[in-house]
Amino acid sequence: MVSKTPLLDELKKGPWPGFVQEYEKMAAKKEIARRMLNQLELSYRDKRTYWKHGGAVTVKGYGGGVIGRYSAIPEVGPPAGCHTFRVAQPAAWFYKTDALRTVCDVWEKYGSGLMNLHGSTGDIILLGAPSEVLQQCFDELSSKGFDLGGSGSDIRSLSCCMGPALCEWACFDTLDVYHTLTMEFQDWIHRPAFPYKFKIKISGCPNDCVAALARADFAIIGTWKDEIQIDQEAVREYAKAGMDIKAITERCPTKCMSWDGKELKINNEDCTRCMYCINKMPKALRPGKERGATILLGGKATILQSAMLGWVIVPFMKIEKPYTELIDLIKRIVTWWDENARTRERVAELIYRVGMRVFLKAVGLPPVPQMVFRPRNNPYYFWSPEELEEVK
């Protein structure tokens, strides 16, 4: 029987389905799920968490992928060891139904049956496995073609948007880049060896549907280098149908657009590729033909130095097989970060501490105007010894 949960019952009110009903379905079948439900009710009642995070919990050959979870109240909650699996997801979360059923069957056999698709990292999150079944559960998942994702101080599981599979704005093949980088960095994903976590997220266009700008230490966001493609006749059709073209041009953040009632003009040198006009008039405007990606570094949530958005380090890079330039850049950045960061210091926090100038020199990137974070506020320039030697 499911224990009484008056506070959780409040969340079942209203027209929308919720997680409590799903919890109760598994609690009727699985004792561990029932105990997890009890603990959650107590957390709501006492306004505190009863989960203790941490501990070395792994399966053979892996350092990441299993997250240690321990209950502070195992006498009424779940067993002291009630751990979480992260199962690596396919590119852009494309699944066949039988694949999902396979994961569900394995998880109901060994764990609580409760799962989360998808966590902020992107993996399938399997919630609640006793310590004694971790290896058997992983072995069965592995035998059916599934692998663990990243957790701990490693390269976390990558994620990408649907890209050219379903989106006409994709500026490169996000799915192939995702797969290639995942295969390239398997060891760094599965075996934590770094000061802290490092996330790579891939968006095919500036709409940034995976929020790489805000959530990725290394963000790859599709863009174009040449002019926006304009179909003037389609623009006039939009205007004829009642669309206020002038209002769209006035909302352009750089005011690089103008409309005289017959022709739409764009000063592409001032365009920031925000996608606003393209999203409003998809039949008339398209990204340019010379496509690639902007590389940004340092997006993250609050830890040491508050939340940060990605910082442009490469304004434009061609993204073409075998992606040698991209892979080499990631390796240089991760190696420098690994050698210089303090414990639990993300790459953005390291750059904030030592300065962008030090970072650029270390990884061999040339400074460009797009990197400017804010105008300089002091008139002095300090020459490095190498620069002074070049002047001589």
Side-chain angles (χ1 to χ4, degrees):
M1 292 291 294
V2 177
S3 301
K4 293 182 179 179
T5 55
L7 295 177
L8 290 177
D9 290 344
E10 289 295 314
L11 298 179
K12 296 190 291 183
K13 296 178 180 179
W16 309 109
F19 74 96
V20 176
Q21 290 94 323
E22 300 306 314
Y23 240 124
E24 290 176 344
K25 290 177 185 177
M26 293 312 303
K29 301 178 183 179
K30 308 277 290 187
E31 173 66 12
I32 188 172
R34 186 187 69 81
R35 286 173 165 267
M36 291 168 68
L37 191 69
N38 287 345
Q39 180 168 303
L40 186 60
E41 173 72 16
L42 293 176
S43 291
Y44 274 72
R45 185 195 71 185
D46 300 335
K47 297 181 174 60
R48 57 160 293 186
T49 179
Y50 286 104
W51 288 112
K52 298 188 293 183
H53 182 277
V57 184
T58 62
V59 295
K60 292 179 181 177
Y62 288 70
V66 183
I67 306 169
R69 292 283 189 266
Y70 299 89
S71 173
I73 47 172
E75 62 280 2
V76 293
C82 185
H83 312 299
T84 294
F85 273 103
R86 280 183 174 158
V87 179
Q89 79 278 10
W93 308 293
F94 282 105
Y95 294 99
K96 290 184 177 180
T97 304
D98 60 349
L100 289 174
R101 290 187 182 279
T102 296
V103 174
C104 292
D105 289 344
V106 172
W107 187 234
E108 193 166 338
K109 177 180 177 181
Y110 291 102
S112 69
L114 298 166
M115 61 176 62
N116 168 15
L117 282 82
H118 286 270
S120 61
T121 296
D123 299 312
I124 301 176
I125 309 299
L126 307 181
L127 302 160
S131 301
E132 60 270 17
V133 303
L134 292 179
Q135 190 65 50
Q136 300 98 297
C137 182
F138 167 72
D139 289 342
E140 188 158 339
L141 284 170
S142 182
S143 70
K144 297 180 184 301
F146 293 92
D147 199 1
L148 296 188
S151 68
S153 297
D154 57 14
I155 301 289
R156 294 296 179 86
S157 305
L158 285 72
S159 62
C160 71
C161 70
M162 64 186 71
L166 289 174
C167 180
E168 59 186 316
W169 306 138
C171 295
F172 63 93
D173 190 340
T174 57
L175 298 94
D176 190 58
V177 171
Y178 166 90
H179 180 77
T180 301
L181 295 183
T182 297
M183 295 298 102
E184 178 69 30
F185 296 118
Q186 276 293 287
D187 189 62
W188 287 1
I189 291 171
H190 287 149
R191 295 167 183 86
F194 299 117
Y196 202 25
K197 55 190 171 184
F198 191 95
K199 296 183 179 182
I200 302 172
K201 297 187 185 296
I202 307 160
S203 287
C205 80
N207 281 323
D208 192 15
C209 290
V210 296
L213 171 68
R215 302 194 304 147
D217 297 274
F218 191 93
I220 307 167
I221 301 179
T223 189
W224 61 95
K225 197 173 183 179
D226 54 346
E227 298 181 351
I228 294 176
Q229 301 179 69
I230 306 175
D231 183 337
Q232 296 290 353
E233 183 57 37
V235 177
R236 288 188 284 270
E237 288 179 7
Y238 275 120
K240 187 176 179 180
M243 180 176 285
D244 190 345
I245 307 297
K246 189 171 181 58
I248 294 173
T249 65
E250 289 174 347
R251 291 189 179 96
C252 174
T254 60
K255 308 300 181 186
C256 73
M257 306 176 67
S258 64
W259 166 249
D260 61 7
K262 295 181 180 180
E263 184 179 15
L264 179 69
K265 295 181 180 179
I266 301 176
N267 180 3
N268 284 275
E269 290 184 357
D270 291 338
C271 175
T272 59
R273 279 72 171 162
C274 73
M275 293 290 290
Y276 175 73
C277 61
I278 295 176
N279 291 334
K280 297 297 288 186
M281 297 185 286
K283 294 180 180 179
L285 302 176
R286 301 187 68 81
K289 296 180 180 180
E290 189 177 356
R291 301 180 180 185
T294 295
I295 310 300
L296 302 97
L297 196 68
K300 69 174 190 67
T302 302
I303 305 179
L304 298 180
Q305 293 289 344
S306 186
M308 295 182 182
L309 296 179
W311 195 333
V312 173
I313 59 170
V314 180
F316 184 82
M317 178 187 290
K318 293 290 286 184
I319 306 296
E320 297 174 336
K321 285 187 175 183
Y323 313 117
T324 304
E325 183 181 6
L326 180 62
I327 292 170
D328 182 61
L329 178 60
I330 294 172
K331 288 181 177 179
R332 296 202 311 270
I333 291 172
V334 170
T335 300
W336 173 79
W337 167 65
D338 183 38
E339 292 173 350
N340 293 277
R342 297 167 178 168
T343 302
R344 295 180 67 84
E345 186 174 49
R346 300 280 284 271
V347 66
E349 293 158 343
L350 173 59
I351 294 173
Y352 186 88
R353 176 164 61 88
V354 304
M356 177 61 83
R357 184 176 174 182
V358 172
F359 163 75
L360 294 176
K361 183 178 178 182
V363 301
L365 284 173
V368 294
Q370 290 89 340
M371 295 175 181
V372 174
F373 182 65
R374 64 169 64 93
R376 289 176 58 195
N377 55 17
N378 85 64
Y380 297 100
Y381 181 85
F382 297 94
W383 299 85
S384 67
E386 295 86 351
E387 290 170 322
L388 288 173
E389 192 63 34
E390 290 175 6
V391 172
K392 293 180 181 177

